């Protein structure tokens, strides 16, 4: 079976850092499915990352950009359109960073310059990307734009800090711009809310291991992997999901619809036995 | 301070069984706040319960009724209107029962007669109550109707079984009838989604203790008690919440908006240490 | 491109009536994508419908069944497994019927025998299907089960009547059983919440035309068609959505995330101009 | 009946501008219910507003502050604690402003300095308020903090522009900080999502009149007024809602749970008749 869901489709993938990145897996899968695309990340990330490997593997040009810079984004889109000789079909936003998390500032002791930076990098960058794309008329009719998010946008997790707020804002931007871009160009915008995933970026979140164990036992299908997220992302880029827009879809093995599973309860009860 | 939020208000309270019942606490609080009401429960429940104590304390007549019987419900409303010489202002629905839970039938081995009974007793009874009330024009303009529910309606909990589905249906009926009763008589209908509470009825749920420990550690304010639920129920019966309708409000110490707390994670991690 | 997402997959499609049915379109699309399946509907529906055309086109055997009958469902699954020589991979539930709607009984004047029938046919049938499948161990690991639903489960629509409650219950069953079937067999269960669609069954809903015009103007991408729903259903049956479970996904052109669009507001304002 | 739900409670009300402001009504109602408080708004707003009238009526000192300035907020809290001789019990945040809306910048043509200003003024100010209060230990145990929001945070409305994103962020901050403040000090944080209300600030939203007509016909109880919002806000400041936290509660006459009402559909259909 030579199933190529993205045959002939062109795009841009923002945020692939190394082979643990979800964006990296999505790039690999999109390539397998017939897509062509450029890769973009910050100059710093490019310096430390292994993205040249991905670039070679997928025959994808790397275009450095600070995603908070409108002019950098304009360059990414114009260079991409130049490479492909026209409009593109999909964009992935997989960008998030919190200096408050990095510097260990607790949520009730935020540095506000950092907070605004978190918001600018992790959420407003998505709006900038969309506004630039629309102004340049860079996306074909029925194109698909996707951002990665996390359930912290709806439910608080200890340690996720100001990234939770940034993800809420990101999802709101997806809806707000999804309306405009949909009505005018039939472009759809969605977010995937993925299980906690061991990435280099995610490694900064405090107490990640216990959380991953818990969510795995809570989710009837277990945590979703980055590879599985890539499979589902391809679907959202494909023509099979043309009328899905302004949605946040949980790709999490069922976690979001659980309040307590047998496995997690059994494990938790062990801790109570120990106490007694 | 002689604050009597329900001064002059009349109502019916369905489902008080004994002093652990949430409905019992609501009756006590409504009485303190100046309300007059009748009490109704099934003949069987009345035989085993201590409801006479409540009846005396609140000067409330007991009207036996099977809440799945339209004619029984008609009797409750007509007798109540007779006692109070006219229309009433509030109704509480605190009724739920699953034979599948009682008989230990797992959710993938349901008895369908039991399932339909769960649905009829725990959810359709609410519709019957509302339809009877509306046909008899028994509720004053801006009256308030309330049913108690649980987060299992949105997120699955091991062991809650077919009661989860019944609660979903109950909340849907609150919305559907809330629309009709609102537009025609300005009567509002809401549900309160309460923390897990140690009641005689709730005692049948498997593994209740571990769950209550978990939700208490997850909720920033701890589990809400039956007494606190009674306080908030009084608010929803009062004129201070006149424009709140068709809503399901979480009264749960914050549990519904949490994915993982420090306390619950710390406790859970102990179980992992033990494993290793 | 010979993309066959469902190559080698076997299933059962419940509820195809005629070429306007969403289930019919899903059958056609699943067939194109390489799936083999049986078709099931009630004996009455089979008599009036054109399902033989679909059967021939898709080389799919028709197995009559009343979906509220456990023994009928057992027959559908055993016959299907017999045909395919083993377990199957997907099931579609597209079944709904309200005698209250048909007989013009308003929501505040429901006939309760009809109401329980609505619930049994439109929601409990899904549980029966799942329980039968699980008891017979009829579904392969990572199989996918899907039911069609409507936003009335979350937000009230005039005229949708007791079907709204049935759809809420259906979605709850998808979550409740999704947990059990997921943890034990890695089978996933989801619902698609589709735009209002002109089907023969949907024709019974009062005031359908105005509503379809409104939702079309509200949805940035317009209402989703039955064909588009078929595309997305195929995705949920495929291996690309393996970790999506217990979810209700809106396939509605964005309607569910809109409160007011320019097009709908402009149209609505015309009615106000007329009034003045 | 001398019902004084807020007897002995002290607080701060941010955002009262003139007698049409929701914050103004809340101040009046809180005063009637026995509360004492200070009032705060920006120096500019104080110059143009009529807030001296409110100040006199409620015996409330006015403390000018730019709510985006941490030092200004520190002053508001310290001065308030000085006036009342100790900690306070409640805070209202009713602050929002978008230069993009004011300057007529469409959502796909945002000025990013304005956007970050919208976010800082309308959402991050709430975090600053909370962080300042917590660092100064200014709130009593079981205190209550409230912010006003709008359904645009969940569902897109034409013309609401970047305020929708700001409100999403505001609600996220309420959850994130609600967790921290709850677990450490039993302070609760909620938002009320109010019907569209004709305020001086709201007047800037494009096409407000048609929208208000539509939401009024959609809501079974009609739009909620500012006075009714004040009633419900008092409830959330009172001890009757002690275990409600991290919630967004719709105070909207039922609008949020409606997809289509008879009244709105009838009105809309007139516009279709006109077209034909």
């Amino acid at each position: 079976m030579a199933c190529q869901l993205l045959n002939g489709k062109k795009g841009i993938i923002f945020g692939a850092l190394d082979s643990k990145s979800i964006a990296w897996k999505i790039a690999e899968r999109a390539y397998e499915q017939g897509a062509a695309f450029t890769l973009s990340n910050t100059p710093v990330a490019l310096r430390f990352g292994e993205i040249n490997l991905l670039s070679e593997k997928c025959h994808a040009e790397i275009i450095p950009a600070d995603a908070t810079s409108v002019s950098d984004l304009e360059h990414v889109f114009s260079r991409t359109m130049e490479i492909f000789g026209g409009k593109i079909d999909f964009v992935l936003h997989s960008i998030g960073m919190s200096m408050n998390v990095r510097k260990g500032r607790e949520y009730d002791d935020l540095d506000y310059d950092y907070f605004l930076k978190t918001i600018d990098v992790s959420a407003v960058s998505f709006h900038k990307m969309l506004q630039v794309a629309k102004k340049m008329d860079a996306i074909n009719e029925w194109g698909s734009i996707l951002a990665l998010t996390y359930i912290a946008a709806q439910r608080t997790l200890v340690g996720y800090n100001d990234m939770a707020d940034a993800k809420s804002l990101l999802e709101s931007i997806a809806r707000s711009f999804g309306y405009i871009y949909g009505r005018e160009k039939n472009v759809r915008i969605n977010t995937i809310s993925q299980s906690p995933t061991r990435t280099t970026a995610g490694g900064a979140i405090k107490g990640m291991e216990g959380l991953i164990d818990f969510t795995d036992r809570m989710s009837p299908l277990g945590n979703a992997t980055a590879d599985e997220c890539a499979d589902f992302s391809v679907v959202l880029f494909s023509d099979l999901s043309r009328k899905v827009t302004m949605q946040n879809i949980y790709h999490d093995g069922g976690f979001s619809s659980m309040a307590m599973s047998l496995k997690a309860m059994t494990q938790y009860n062990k801790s109570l036995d120990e106490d007694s």
Side-chain angles (χ1 to χ4, degrees), chain A residues 110-152:
Chain A
L110 291 189
D111 176 285
Y112 289 110
D113 288 336
Y114 291 170
F115 192 16
L116 286 172
K117 191 76 187 160
T118 299
I119 284 171
D120 198 21
V121 172
S122 313
V124 176
S125 63
F126 192 45
H127 190 285
K128 290 175 179 169
M129 211 172 269
L130 293 163
Q131 184 161 303
V132 162
K134 184 157 180 294
K135 286 193 174 184
M136 297 176 68
D137 197 14
I139 317 278
N140 282 312
E141 291 261 321
W142 302 107
S144 174
I145 298 171
L146 189 60
L148 298 184
T149 186
Y150 186 44
I151 196 171

Side-chain angles (χ1 to χ4, degrees), chain A residues 12 16 41 67 75 111 145 196 234-235 242 276:
Chain A
I12 307 173
N41 210 327
H75 174 66
D111 176 285
I145 298 171
V234 159
V235 163
R242 278 192 171 194
S276 61

Side-chain angles (χ1 to χ4, degrees), chain A residues 95 151 167 189 211 237 260:
Chain A
I95 299 171
I151 196 171
K167 290 300 194 188
I189 306 178
L211 181 70
F237 289 148
M260 186 43 78

Side-chain angles (χ1 to χ4, degrees), chain A residues 19-84:
Chain A
S19 63
K20 287 191 285 182
S21 309
I22 300 175
W24 184 290
K25 304 288 190 183
I26 294 175
E28 289 180 328
R29 202 58 41 92
Y31 182 73
E32 288 166 28
Q33 294 283 338
F37 46 85
T38 58
L39 296 164
S40 182
N41 210 327
T42 59
V44 173
L46 297 181
R47 211 151 49 232
F48 290 94
E50 319 151 15
I51 198 171
N52 286 328
L53 295 174
L54 184 65
S55 166
E56 284 166 31
K57 188 172 177 185
C58 300
H59 304 96
E61 186 170 314
I62 300 168
I63 312 173
D66 170 356
T68 65
S69 156
V70 169
S71 62
D72 279 17
L73 290 169
E74 285 166 347
H75 174 66
V76 174
F77 278 90
S78 65
R79 175 70 192 132
T80 302
M81 289 170 78
E82 194 178 279
I83 291 171
F84 296 126

Side-chain angles (χ1 to χ4, degrees), chain A residues 151 155 214-215 217-221 252-264:
Chain A
I151 196 171
R155 300 185 209 156
F214 174 74
T215 59
R217 288 187 215 255
M218 278 285 273
S219 309
L221 303 178
D252 65 356
F255 177 78
S256 51
S257 294
M258 292 298 302
M260 186 43 78
S261 71
L262 179 61
K263 274 187 207 163

